[in-house]
Short mmCIF file of all heavy atoms in Angstrom, two decimals:
data_model
loop_
_atom_site.label_atom_id
_atom_site.label_comp_id
_atom_site.label_asym_id
_atom_site.label_seq_id
_atom_site.Cartn_x
_atom_site.Cartn_y
_atom_site.Cartn_z
N ARG A 1 -24.22 9.59 76.82
CA ARG A 1 -24.59 9.18 75.45
C ARG A 1 -25.35 7.85 75.45
O ARG A 1 -26.25 7.65 74.62
CB ARG A 1 -23.33 9.08 74.58
CG ARG A 1 -22.72 10.45 74.26
CD ARG A 1 -21.56 10.38 73.29
NE ARG A 1 -21.09 11.71 72.96
CZ ARG A 1 -21.61 12.52 72.03
NH1 ARG A 1 -22.65 12.12 71.31
NH2 ARG A 1 -21.10 13.73 71.82
N ALA A 2 -25.01 6.96 76.37
CA ALA A 2 -25.78 5.72 76.49
C ALA A 2 -27.19 5.98 76.93
O ALA A 2 -28.13 5.35 76.44
CB ALA A 2 -25.06 4.77 77.48
N CYS A 3 -27.38 6.94 77.83
CA CYS A 3 -28.75 7.31 78.25
C CYS A 3 -29.55 7.89 77.11
O CYS A 3 -30.71 7.58 76.93
CB CYS A 3 -28.67 8.28 79.42
SG CYS A 3 -28.13 7.58 81.00
N LEU A 4 -28.91 8.72 76.35
CA LEU A 4 -29.59 9.33 75.19
C LEU A 4 -29.97 8.30 74.12
O LEU A 4 -30.96 8.47 73.40
CB LEU A 4 -28.71 10.40 74.54
CG LEU A 4 -28.53 11.69 75.35
CD1 LEU A 4 -27.35 12.49 74.82
CD2 LEU A 4 -29.80 12.53 75.34
N ALA A 5 -29.21 7.21 74.05
CA ALA A 5 -29.45 6.17 73.04
C ALA A 5 -30.38 5.07 73.52
O ALA A 5 -30.65 4.14 72.77
CB ALA A 5 -28.11 5.57 72.62
N ASP A 6 -30.88 5.19 74.75
CA ASP A 6 -31.67 4.11 75.37
C ASP A 6 -33.14 4.24 74.98
O ASP A 6 -33.91 4.97 75.61
CB ASP A 6 -31.50 4.17 76.87
CG ASP A 6 -32.06 2.96 77.60
OD1 ASP A 6 -32.92 2.27 77.00
OD2 ASP A 6 -31.67 2.70 78.75
N GLN A 7 -33.55 3.51 73.94
CA GLN A 7 -34.93 3.57 73.46
C GLN A 7 -35.91 3.08 74.51
O GLN A 7 -37.00 3.66 74.66
CB GLN A 7 -35.07 2.74 72.18
CG GLN A 7 -36.49 2.66 71.62
CD GLN A 7 -37.02 3.99 71.12
OE1 GLN A 7 -36.27 4.89 70.76
NE2 GLN A 7 -38.36 4.13 71.10
N LYS A 8 -35.56 2.04 75.24
CA LYS A 8 -36.46 1.51 76.26
C LYS A 8 -36.71 2.55 77.35
O LYS A 8 -37.86 2.74 77.78
CB LYS A 8 -35.87 0.24 76.89
CG LYS A 8 -36.78 -0.40 77.91
CD LYS A 8 -36.18 -1.70 78.47
CE LYS A 8 -37.10 -2.34 79.51
NZ LYS A 8 -36.51 -3.60 80.04
N GLN A 9 -35.66 3.24 77.78
CA GLN A 9 -35.83 4.29 78.80
C GLN A 9 -36.67 5.43 78.26
O GLN A 9 -37.45 6.02 79.00
CB GLN A 9 -34.46 4.79 79.27
CG GLN A 9 -34.50 5.89 80.32
CD GLN A 9 -35.29 5.50 81.56
OE1 GLN A 9 -35.36 4.33 81.94
NE2 GLN A 9 -35.88 6.48 82.23
N LEU A 10 -36.48 5.77 77.00
CA LEU A 10 -37.29 6.84 76.39
C LEU A 10 -38.77 6.49 76.47
O LEU A 10 -39.60 7.34 76.82
CB LEU A 10 -36.85 7.06 74.94
CG LEU A 10 -37.38 8.31 74.20
CD1 LEU A 10 -36.49 8.60 73.03
CD2 LEU A 10 -38.82 8.12 73.75
N GLU A 11 -39.09 5.23 76.17
CA GLU A 11 -40.49 4.81 76.21
C GLU A 11 -41.05 4.85 77.64
O GLU A 11 -42.18 5.28 77.88
CB GLU A 11 -40.61 3.41 75.63
CG GLU A 11 -40.31 3.35 74.13
CD GLU A 11 -40.23 1.94 73.57
OE1 GLU A 11 -40.47 0.98 74.38
OE2 GLU A 11 -39.94 1.77 72.38
N ILE A 12 -40.24 4.40 78.61
CA ILE A 12 -40.66 4.46 80.02
C ILE A 12 -40.85 5.91 80.46
O ILE A 12 -41.84 6.26 81.10
CB ILE A 12 -39.63 3.75 80.92
CG1 ILE A 12 -39.59 2.26 80.64
CG2 ILE A 12 -39.90 4.04 82.39
CD1 ILE A 12 -38.45 1.54 81.30
N MET A 13 -39.91 6.75 80.08
CA MET A 13 -39.93 8.17 80.47
C MET A 13 -41.13 8.90 79.90
O MET A 13 -41.65 9.85 80.52
CB MET A 13 -38.61 8.80 79.98
CG MET A 13 -38.41 10.25 80.35
SD MET A 13 -36.96 10.85 79.43
CE MET A 13 -37.69 11.07 77.78
N ALA A 14 -41.59 8.48 78.70
CA ALA A 14 -42.70 9.18 78.06
C ALA A 14 -44.07 8.78 78.60
O ALA A 14 -45.07 9.47 78.37
CB ALA A 14 -42.67 8.91 76.54
N LYS A 15 -44.14 7.68 79.35
CA LYS A 15 -45.44 7.17 79.79
C LYS A 15 -46.19 8.18 80.68
O LYS A 15 -47.42 8.33 80.52
CB LYS A 15 -45.27 5.83 80.49
CG LYS A 15 -45.01 4.70 79.53
CD LYS A 15 -44.88 3.34 80.27
CE LYS A 15 -44.63 2.22 79.26
NZ LYS A 15 -44.46 0.92 79.94
N PRO A 16 -45.55 8.83 81.65
CA PRO A 16 -46.30 9.82 82.47
C PRO A 16 -46.94 10.95 81.61
O PRO A 16 -48.05 11.39 81.90
CB PRO A 16 -45.25 10.36 83.43
CG PRO A 16 -44.26 9.28 83.56
CD PRO A 16 -44.19 8.67 82.19
N THR A 17 -46.23 11.38 80.56
CA THR A 17 -46.78 12.39 79.68
C THR A 17 -48.01 11.85 78.94
O THR A 17 -49.06 12.50 78.87
CB THR A 17 -45.72 12.86 78.66
OG1 THR A 17 -44.61 13.45 79.36
CG2 THR A 17 -46.30 13.87 77.71
N GLU A 18 -47.86 10.65 78.43
CA GLU A 18 -48.95 10.06 77.67
C GLU A 18 -50.19 9.86 78.55
O GLU A 18 -51.31 10.21 78.17
CB GLU A 18 -48.51 8.70 77.11
CG GLU A 18 -49.56 8.02 76.25
CD GLU A 18 -49.05 6.74 75.62
OE1 GLU A 18 -48.02 6.22 76.04
OE2 GLU A 18 -49.71 6.26 74.67
N SER A 19 -50.01 9.31 79.75
CA SER A 19 -51.16 9.02 80.62
C SER A 19 -51.79 10.31 81.10
O SER A 19 -53.03 10.41 81.18
CB SER A 19 -50.73 8.14 81.79
OG SER A 19 -49.74 8.80 82.60
N ALA A 20 -50.99 11.33 81.41
CA ALA A 20 -51.54 12.61 81.89
C ALA A 20 -52.33 13.31 80.78
O ALA A 20 -53.32 13.95 81.01
CB ALA A 20 -50.43 13.51 82.43
N MET A 21 -51.84 13.20 79.55
CA MET A 21 -52.55 13.80 78.44
C MET A 21 -53.87 13.09 78.16
O MET A 21 -54.89 13.70 77.97
CB MET A 21 -51.66 13.74 77.17
CG MET A 21 -50.49 14.69 77.17
SD MET A 21 -49.42 14.48 75.70
CE MET A 21 -50.57 14.91 74.37
N GLN A 22 -53.84 11.75 78.19
CA GLN A 22 -55.04 10.97 77.91
C GLN A 22 -56.10 11.16 78.98
O GLN A 22 -57.29 11.16 78.68
CB GLN A 22 -54.66 9.49 77.76
CG GLN A 22 -53.86 9.19 76.53
CD GLN A 22 -53.42 7.74 76.42
OE1 GLN A 22 -53.48 6.98 77.40
NE2 GLN A 22 -53.00 7.31 75.24
N SER A 23 -55.67 11.34 80.23
CA SER A 23 -56.64 11.51 81.32
C SER A 23 -57.15 12.95 81.44
O SER A 23 -58.13 13.22 82.11
CB SER A 23 -56.01 11.11 82.65
OG SER A 23 -54.98 12.04 83.02
N GLY A 24 -56.44 13.87 80.77
CA GLY A 24 -56.81 15.26 80.86
C GLY A 24 -56.27 15.97 82.09
O GLY A 24 -56.60 17.12 82.37
N THR A 25 -55.42 15.27 82.85
CA THR A 25 -54.86 15.85 84.08
C THR A 25 -54.02 17.06 83.79
O THR A 25 -54.05 18.07 84.52
CB THR A 25 -53.99 14.81 84.82
OG1 THR A 25 -54.81 13.65 85.11
CG2 THR A 25 -53.44 15.37 86.12
N VAL A 26 -53.25 17.00 82.72
CA VAL A 26 -52.32 18.10 82.38
C VAL A 26 -52.64 18.64 80.99
O VAL A 26 -52.66 17.90 80.01
CB VAL A 26 -50.85 17.58 82.43
CG1 VAL A 26 -49.89 18.72 82.13
CG2 VAL A 26 -50.54 16.96 83.79
N THR A 27 -52.85 19.94 80.95
CA THR A 27 -53.07 20.62 79.66
C THR A 27 -52.00 21.66 79.39
O THR A 27 -51.95 22.26 78.32
CB THR A 27 -54.47 21.27 79.63
OG1 THR A 27 -54.58 22.18 80.76
CG2 THR A 27 -55.56 20.24 79.75
#
């Protein structure tokens, strides 16, 4: 539950998705 509530970790975890989408690497 602490992991699920960790906003900072959520932001870190989402970065690979964001960068891959922006670069067009992953569709």
Side-chain angles (χ1 to χ4, degrees):
R1 290 186 176 276
C3 288
L4 288 164
D6 190 340
Q7 176 66 24
K8 183 177 180 180
Q9 179 57 29
L10 191 160
E11 293 172 2
I12 292 171
M13 183 190 76
K15 285 181 180 178
T17 299
E18 182 176 15
S19 61
M21 288 175 63
Q22 291 177 344
S23 68
T25 302
V26 181
T27 56

